[in-house]
Amino acid sequence: MKRERKSFNKEFNLMAVELCQSVDSCKLQEQLIVWNKILAFQKTFLSSKFLPFRFLSIIIFLFHLLGNSELQAQRLSRDLNVSLLINQVGYMPKAEKLCITKGDRARTFEVIELETQQVVFTGTLKPNSGDFGEYLTGNFSALTQEGHYYVKSDTLRSYPFEISNDIYQSPMGLIVHYFSKQRCGPSATGYLSPCHIDDGIRLDNGKHQDVSGGWHDASDLRKWVGATIYGMIGLAKTYELSDGRQRDKILEELKWGNRYFLKMQEPDGYIMNYIGGDVKKHSDSNRWTDNEIGEEGGEVGFVKPNAGKSHHDMLIFGSNDDRVIQTDALGILGQYNFITAEALMARITKDIDDKYAQKCLEAAKKCFDWCRNSKDNNTPGTLGASIQASLELYKTTGKKTYKRFAIKQAARLQKLQSVNMGDEVSGFFFTNLSDDQPYKNVWNGCLEFISICDLIQTFPLHKDVSIWREMILNYSENYFSLMTKRNSFGIISFGLYTSKDPGGNRKIGKYWYRYFMQPELDWWVGINANLASAGIGMVKAAHVLDDREMMAQAQRQLDWIIGVNPFNSSTMVGVGHNHPKHFPGSSFYPLTPVIPGAVLNGLGGDHEDQPSIGDANWQISEYWTPMVSYTLWLMAELSGTNYE
């Protein structure tokens, strides 16, 4: 009897532990299997003399455990738990496909075809902790069949998504449409057209100069050349990568935007800075006007509005409300971006309108000559922009002058790259030769990395190809890959810091790092341009180095922008779900409407570098051209990729 009691206790205790584990795992099927074991066990020992008190006590305890489980009763809820994170647009058939959710214990997941409700893929969500906490990651990249699906794991599910070779055509078209709604001037599509036909009055001499056209830059009415020029680059790159379906609309938008940029070029070749921006103080020219060209003359100064709802001071000449052109030269990086845009336009339009193409090419060459005679600015961003500009001029003209310049600038850039130090993070670029601070720029993007990749693709037989390949490999493996592995989402950090912890206590080797700009700064924005431009670079690096994992890393940057983030939030308007609250502007009326296709600045971070979705603050929720353009360009790169 004593031996029988001991055997009973041992077997029953094992089943109790098993049932507790199944309850903890929240897997209904496992709970039912173990519970059936216990019921069978109960029948076997029903007549045992030692059963009653202890066995019944344990049964009551187990029922108490199960009272908190799904075995208690049919789950009844008015809601769905949509917490499995996926790219809310979808995926190319052979792209990497991840689903992510919070948690620290493995669980199964299924991918289900929407119309048939058939399970087409089964996998495991595996623990993948990182800087943002405990998460589970599932990989269903093996599913390549085009169709409409959702992911399910017990009571959790995802939003529906599509797998298609054309998956990004619709959101790309939406972005092109966004530019048409942001048109400034007498357009047929601008959201409050006509507007700013009277742009503008030169700050340096008070004379009227027509700089109408172009696009509003953000959730405002400013036309910063340095930021808005990315619209030209993103659209033109997309035009060249596209298969023709959207080319007519893209070209129409490019020509509208270019009205403004060509008008902003001075006889010396450089581009003026902006109109509608903050000439003397914040928002002094960020406003609507009466669309009537005023008389020239008078002194420039501030006046208070005497009509309307908005009360910010207005900077005007005399008594007319024409906006003031900041005639100073745009920064050198922006000048090179103008050259890139015009060289692209010349090539795109050569067979369509040769006269217009020549006008664009002459504008690019004239600005290039001005830049060559200007003081060098050898930051990585400027060097990258200069390489990009000279490459586009070379591809358009075939002239070796531009080839030599690109190669010379690449040699300068190489000197700024951190060398491989074994296990230490390296491959990033220092600010300049006299400043050992790692280079960071949240909105101009990764032009330095993109341009080195383009060098190899343009001059694959050049003697320096091995040097350029090593630069790409060093950046990709010893910086990008190392940093993206430190969080569950695979996104690249904003940058590295040397002097002190910028907040978050994140450190790799001797460097601190952050994913987001510090919210204590006077000026900061979300990270969408940083992610998208890095994604473009990794697509190009994947082609150069024939490394599919780099393509997967590029995909993860876009995934974050369109839903695979801790807020399950798409930061592209008109696409996906749970968008950050709308920021409509603040110093003019009517305000900026919700415009489908806009890409927001992107999620920000708190002092501890944890993600923040904000509360309609401009740093996160405002539309901005660099974010829009780099996201469009990244979609185009991924759409044109052969994943074999």
Side-chain angles (χ1 to χ4, degrees):
M1 177 67 71
K2 186 174 181 180
R3 183 179 299 172
E4 188 178 3
R5 182 189 300 272
K6 186 174 181 180
S7 175
F8 173 91
N9 288 341
K10 180 179 180 181
E11 188 168 352
F12 192 82
N13 285 341
L14 285 173
M15 283 190 292
V17 169
E18 189 177 355
L19 183 59
C20 290
Q21 290 175 338
S22 71
V23 170
D24 190 48
S25 73
C26 295
K27 294 180 180 177
L28 181 58
Q29 188 174 6
E30 291 181 11
Q31 295 168 17
L32 289 172
I33 291 172
V34 179
W35 190 250
N36 286 332
K37 285 184 182 179
I38 291 178
L39 292 177
F41 182 74
Q42 179 186 7
K43 289 178 182 179
T44 302
F45 285 90
L46 194 59
S47 59
S48 299
K49 297 177 182 179
F50 49 81
L51 171 68
F53 183 76
R54 185 177 179 190
F55 183 69
L56 289 176
S57 297
I58 295 175
I59 291 293
I60 292 169
F61 169 68
L62 292 175
F63 267 116
H64 175 71
L65 282 176
L66 291 169
N68 294 319
S69 79
E70 297 172 62
L71 191 64
Q72 182 185 29
Q74 174 65 40
R75 182 177 183 273
L76 298 174
S77 174
R78 296 168 63 97
D79 307 319
L80 290 175
N81 191 346
V82 188
S83 57
L84 286 176
L85 310 176
I86 48 87
N87 183 314
Q88 293 173 15
V89 172
Y91 306 89
M92 297 282 288
K94 294 185 179 180
E96 181 192 65
K97 308 172 191 74
L98 301 180
C99 56
I100 297 177
T101 193
K102 287 196 72 68
D104 59 3
R105 296 194 179 188
R107 57 190 299 163
T108 60
F109 74 92
E110 299 170 332
V111 182
I112 300 170
E113 203 276 330
L114 285 180
E115 294 185 3
T116 66
Q117 286 296 290
Q118 294 295 308
V119 175
V120 295
F121 184 89
T122 301
T124 303
L125 287 157
K126 300 177 181 179
N128 180 26
S129 62
D131 286 335
F132 300 141
E134 302 286 344
Y135 283 89
L136 305 173
T137 299
N139 191 319
F140 58 102
S141 303
L143 176 61
T144 60
Q145 180 65 42
E146 294 192 23
H148 295 83
Y149 307 95
Y150 72 102
V151 183
K152 186 175 184 293
S153 178
D154 197 27
T155 62
L156 310 182
R157 63 159 290 171
S158 73
Y159 286 110
F161 63 92
E162 184 179 1
I163 296 176
S164 170
N165 276 312
D166 296 328
I167 191 62
Y168 297 122
Q169 292 303 312
S170 178
M172 287 164 62
L174 207 57
I175 291 177
V176 176
H177 178 72
Y178 162 82
F179 278 104
S180 75
K181 302 304 288 185
Q182 283 282 52
R183 285 187 185 183
C184 185
S187 79
T189 62
Y191 73 80
L192 198 54
S193 184
C195 67
H196 303 115
I197 297 172
D198 49 359
D199 277 353
I201 299 292
R202 293 180 63 100
L203 179 62
D204 57 358
N205 61 20
K207 301 291 185 181
H208 176 79
Q209 180 172 329
D210 178 18
V211 293
S212 60
W215 307 291
H216 299 142
D217 177 41
S219 299
D220 58 24
L221 308 176
R222 300 176 174 98
K223 293 193 292 188
W224 306 107
V225 172
T228 316
I229 196 67
Y230 283 107
M232 294 293 296
I233 295 173
L235 286 166
K237 294 285 189 178
T238 300
Y239 181 95
E240 291 203 317
L241 289 163
S242 71
D243 58 9
R245 279 174 288 181
Q246 301 196 48
R247 280 191 164 187
D248 288 346
K249 290 183 178 179
I250 294 173
L251 182 57
E252 180 184 345
E253 216 49 58
L254 281 166
K255 295 184 87 169
W256 185 272
N258 210 26
R259 288 188 182 195
Y260 172 60
F261 298 111
L262 289 174
K263 292 174 182 178
M264 289 291 282
Q265 185 170 30
E266 289 284 80
D268 287 342
Y270 67 84
I271 310 306
M272 294 185 290
N273 212 331
Y274 57 81
I275 191 168
D278 306 342
V279 182
K280 298 289 186 180
K281 65 180 181 180
H282 181 68
S283 279
D284 57 19
S285 300
N286 181 27
R287 52 184 170 78
W288 301 109
T289 66
D290 62 11
N291 284 324
E292 297 179 3
I293 297 174
E295 294 183 5
E296 295 179 351
E299 297 296 322
V300 64
F302 290 105
V303 297
K304 289 285 186 184
N306 57 22
K309 297 182 179 181
S310 304
H311 303 292
H312 287 74
D313 288 349
M314 298 167 59
L315 183 70
I316 64 172
F317 269 94
S319 59
N320 69 71
D321 72 346
D322 300 11
R323 301 197 297 179
V324 177
I325 306 167
Q326 175 51 269
T327 52
D328 290 348
L330 176 67
I332 193 73
L333 191 154
Q335 302 286 346
Y336 281 121
N337 281 341
F338 172 79
I339 297 166
T340 296
E342 298 308 321
L344 281 163
M345 283 298 288
R347 190 162 66 249
I348 287 170
T349 60
K350 183 178 181 180
D351 295 332
I352 302 169
D353 185 346
D354 186 61
K355 184 177 179 180
Y356 179 79
Q358 285 301 315
K359 182 178 180 179
C360 295
L361 181 57
E362 288 306 312
K365 291 162 65 176
K366 197 171 185 178
C367 189
F368 184 83
D369 291 341
W370 182 87
C371 290
R372 289 286 302 273
N373 294 321
S374 300
K375 184 178 179 181
D376 283 341
N377 179 339
N378 289 330
T379 65
T382 300
L383 289 169
S386 70
I387 295 168
Q388 192 72 201
S390 48
L391 285 176
E392 295 302 343
L393 275 171
Y394 173 79
K395 287 189 282 186
T396 301
T397 67
K399 291 186 176 180
K400 293 183 178 180
T401 299
Y402 304 120
K403 176 180 179 179
R404 288 193 293 268
F405 183 77
I407 293 167
K408 183 183 76 172
Q409 295 297 83
R412 289 180 172 180
L413 182 60
Q414 185 201 11
K415 294 177 181 178
L416 296 180
Q417 189 173 31
S418 171
V419 297
N420 188 347
M421 300 293 290
D423 294 335
E424 285 283 327
V425 62
S426 62
F428 58 88
F429 296 91
F430 295 108
T431 301
N432 55 54
L433 291 175
S434 60
D435 187 348
D436 65 353
Q437 283 289 325
Y439 179 71
K440 298 178 285 292
N441 192 301
V442 77
W443 63 278
N444 280 309
C446 300
L447 289 173
E448 60 278 7
F449 183 51
I450 291 169
S451 295
I452 293 297
C453 295
D454 285 347
L455 262 178
I456 290 183
Q457 292 178 324
T458 308
F459 308 123
L461 301 179
H462 192 271
K463 64 180 181 62
D464 289 342
V465 161
S466 60
I467 296 173
W468 303 335
R469 284 179 62 89
E470 187 61 30
M471 291 175 69
I472 295 169
L473 193 65
N474 194 11
Y475 184 92
S476 301
E477 293 189 350
N478 300 319
Y479 176 63
F480 194 98
S481 183
L482 281 182
M483 300 308 299
T484 55
K485 288 176 180 177
R486 299 181 76 84
N487 65 87
S488 309
F489 299 89
I491 63 167
I492 188 61
S493 57
F494 165 56
L496 304 173
Y497 300 77
T498 56
S499 57
K500 63 179 181 179
D501 179 9
N505 194 30
R506 307 196 195 285
K507 201 165 189 182
I508 181 168
K510 64 181 181 180
Y511 295 102
W512 283 278
Y513 66 96
R514 283 183 65 91
Y515 294 97
F516 309 98
M517 295 184 74
Q518 297 154 274
E520 300 86 2
L521 297 173
D522 292 335
W523 186 92
W524 64 274
V525 292
I527 59 174
N528 278 350
N530 188 55
L531 299 185
S533 63
I536 294 164
M538 292 308 289
V539 172
K540 290 176 176 291
H543 293 315
V544 169
L545 300 176
D546 192 23
D547 189 329
R548 184 162 181 171
E549 173 57 25
M550 292 179 183
M551 194 69 69
Q553 291 169 341
Q555 180 71 48
R556 290 167 208 160
Q557 312 313 302
L558 182 62
D559 289 350
W560 174 281
I561 294 170
I562 317 179
V564 187
N565 55 63
F567 302 100
N568 203 2
S569 171
S570 168
T571 52
M572 179 177 173
V573 180
V575 170
H577 310 270
N578 307 318
H579 305 88
K581 291 181 182 178
H582 177 56
F583 171 79
S586 60
S587 60
F588 52 88
Y589 189 85
L591 298 170
T592 305
V594 174
I595 306 178
V599 179
L600 312 186
N601 283 331
L603 300 181
D606 61 17
H607 175 73
E608 296 304 319
D609 203 37
Q610 292 299 322
S612 169
I613 198 169
D615 188 22
N617 52 309
W618 65 266
Q619 293 94 337
I620 289 171
S621 295
E622 186 169 14
Y623 316 151
W624 200 17
T625 309
M627 283 59 178
V628 177
S629 303
Y630 274 124
T631 300
L632 172 65
W633 184 1
L634 176 56
M635 287 181 179
E637 290 283 354
L638 291 171
S639 296
T641 291
N642 182 352
Y643 287 86
E644 297 298 339

